[in-house]
């Protein structure tokens, strides 16, 4: 009887999940779903940069998950904040790390300030690196763990007027693909969740140049017309193709619960023809033409119509 007790205790242990960027969107939704699991299989550490924004998360869980949810302050760009968050986790044990914190930047490249560009890379790339660096040693010691990254179709293919965002996400893809090769020796799995448009506040929260705003003053007429057209395309795309958050969250849940998740999971097949085109035509020319047609073929920019 005594010999079987440890295995029973282990079977009852919760899977410890730490999620960054939980003040809204996917991070908030995932924290709620895991903390509300009917079997209480998970202990969730939901983190966010600004704890003043925690009220929405608390409202969603309605205070019923004291044993399955804890909210921590964590700024992925601040090493001291990361160190403090790690100390709040019992035994510094995290079974599943979800790197979800991210920001966007949309607009003609020549209008993007160095400060704005740096901010995107600080969160999307260096913030992801910082977070993985903080929790990876513990996973290696335990020879077990999963690292889930909220990625994007913009991490696999260039998107007009999203050059900085795509550059930061392309870098994360290279980071994770490189790590995955080595980490299989430690029974650690990295999974990139490739999201398309999602019905969250990400688009409204994204730093973008208002086509009617002062940031575009002095921009050449052709680029200005193209950007206005892209902005309209983007709004239509979110109306027509954006996924419900629950649909996207299921992909995250599958990756968390699958013993050996793959390197990439796609939440939608909508963009797959364009993604495949990059592999079928390695020189990139067909993809560039296809993406241009996808975005700009509905009507010519106003500057051209004059």
């Amino acid at each position: 009887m005594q010999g079987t007790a440890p295995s029973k205790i282990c079977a009852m242990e919760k899977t410890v999940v730490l999620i960054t960027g939980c003040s809204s969107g996917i991070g908030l939704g995932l924290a709620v779903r895991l903390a509300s699991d009917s079997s209480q299989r998970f202990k969730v550490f939901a983190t966010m940069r600004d704890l003043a924004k925690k009220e929405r998360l608390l409202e969603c869980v309605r205070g019923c998950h004291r044993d399955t949810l804890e909210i921590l302050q964590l700024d992925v760009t601040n090493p001291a904040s990361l160190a403090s968050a790690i100390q709040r986790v019992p035994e510094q044990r995290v079974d599943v790390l979800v790197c979800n914190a991210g920001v966007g930047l949309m607009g003609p490249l020549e209008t993007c300030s160095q400060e704005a560009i740096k901010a995107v890379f600080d969160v999307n790339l260096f913030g992801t690196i910082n977070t993985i660096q903080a929790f990876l040693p513990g996973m290696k010691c335990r020879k077990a763990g999963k690292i889930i990254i909220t990625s994007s179709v913009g991490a696999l293919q260039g998107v007009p007027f999203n050059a900085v965002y795509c550059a930061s996400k392309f870098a994360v893809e290279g980071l994770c693909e490189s790590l995955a090769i080595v980490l299989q020796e430690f029974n650690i799995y990295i999974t990139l969740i490739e999201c398309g448009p999602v019905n969250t506040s990400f688009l409204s929260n994204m730093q973008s140049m208002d086509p009617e705003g002062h940031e575009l003053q002095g921009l050449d007429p052709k680029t200005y017309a193209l950007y206005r057209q892209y902005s309209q395309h983007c709004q239509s795309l979110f109306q027509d193709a954006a996924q419900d958050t629950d649909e996207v969250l299921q992909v995250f849940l599958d990756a968390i619960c699958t013993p050996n998740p793959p390197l990439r999971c796609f939440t939608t097949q909508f963009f797959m023809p364009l993604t495949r085109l990059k592999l079928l035509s390695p020189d990139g020319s067909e993809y560039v033409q296809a993406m241009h047609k996808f975005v700009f073929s509905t009507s010519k920019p106003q500057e051209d119509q004059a």
Side-chain angles (χ1 to χ4, degrees):
M1 293 289 292
Q2 291 181 341
T4 61
S7 63
K8 288 183 179 180
I9 293 173
C10 289
M12 295 170 61
E13 284 185 344
K14 289 180 171 61
T15 298
V16 179
V17 184
L18 187 139
I19 311 169
T20 65
C22 290
S23 62
S24 63
I26 290 173
L28 184 150
L30 185 60
V32 172
R33 285 283 291 270
L34 293 174
S36 304
D37 178 64
S38 59
S39 300
Q40 297 190 358
R41 294 172 294 169
F42 306 101
K43 170 66 176 183
V44 180
F45 290 92
T47 76
M48 59 189 69
R49 183 180 59 84
D50 183 3
L51 286 180
K53 297 181 178 180
K54 70 180 180 180
E55 294 306 318
R56 185 178 172 195
L57 176 56
L58 290 174
E59 289 175 7
C60 290
V61 296
R62 297 189 179 92
C64 298
H65 307 284
R66 200 171 290 175
D67 296 331
T68 59
L69 177 68
E70 187 169 342
I71 302 175
L72 302 179
Q73 192 279 334
L74 174 54
D75 179 352
V76 298
T77 68
N78 186 329
S81 177
L82 268 164
S84 176
I86 291 173
Q87 294 304 314
R88 296 284 302 277
V89 179
E91 301 178 1
Q92 289 75 62
R93 174 194 147 210
V94 170
D95 302 307
V96 180
L97 174 65
V98 182
C99 296
N100 171 71
V103 295
L105 177 63
M106 187 173 79
L109 182 63
E110 57 268 45
T111 66
C112 299
S113 69
Q114 287 296 308
E115 182 181 7
I117 293 170
K118 184 177 182 297
V120 170
F121 274 83
D122 279 348
V123 175
N124 293 357
L125 176 59
F126 296 113
T128 298
I129 292 174
N130 294 341
T131 307
I132 293 175
Q133 283 181 321
F135 292 97
L136 187 56
M139 290 183 174
K140 282 186 171 181
C141 286
R142 293 186 297 274
K143 288 187 166 48
K146 293 176 183 175
I147 300 171
I148 313 292
I149 310 291
T150 301
S151 192
S152 165
V153 293
L156 299 172
Q157 54 199 44
V159 179
F161 298 112
N162 282 268
V164 173
Y165 174 74
C166 289
S168 70
K169 287 296 191 178
F170 267 58
V172 172
E173 292 279 328
L175 168 77
C176 294
E177 191 169 289
S178 300
L179 283 172
I181 299 166
V182 175
L183 293 184
Q184 64 180 348
E185 296 283 345
F186 296 88
N187 193 37
I188 299 171
Y189 293 89
I190 291 189
T191 300
L192 295 142
I193 309 295
E194 313 291 1
C195 302
V198 185
N199 285 318
T200 68
S201 59
F202 182 81
L203 184 63
S204 59
N205 291 338
M206 177 189 293
Q207 184 176 347
S208 61
M209 309 300 170
D210 182 355
E212 308 302 330
H214 65 87
E215 301 100 332
L216 301 185
Q217 290 179 1
L219 190 66
D220 67 273
K222 180 75 169 183
T223 304
Y224 176 75
L226 287 168
Y227 181 58
R228 287 194 63 177
Q229 187 177 4
Y230 173 74
S231 297
Q232 295 169 0
H233 165 85
C234 195
Q235 292 176 5
S236 298
L237 186 64
F238 267 80
Q239 291 174 358
D240 298 339
Q243 293 178 279
D244 289 335
T245 306
D246 285 345
E247 185 179 354
V248 173
L249 291 180
Q250 188 58 51
V251 181
F252 280 82
L253 292 170
D254 290 345
I256 290 170
C257 297
T258 299
N260 307 317
L263 176 61
R264 291 185 179 88
C265 295
F266 293 84
T267 68
T268 177
Q269 297 295 308
F270 185 85
F271 298 94
M272 198 57 70
L274 285 167
T275 303
R276 290 197 184 101
L277 193 57
K278 291 189 68 173
L279 298 176
L280 295 173
S281 177
D283 73 359
S285 56
E286 289 191 34
Y287 171 77
V288 169
Q289 293 300 319
M291 177 57 86
H292 184 277
K293 182 178 180 180
F294 175 62
V295 174
F296 299 117
S297 66
T298 53
S299 62
K300 289 186 178 181
Q302 292 180 5
E303 194 269 344
D304 280 356
Q305 292 176 339

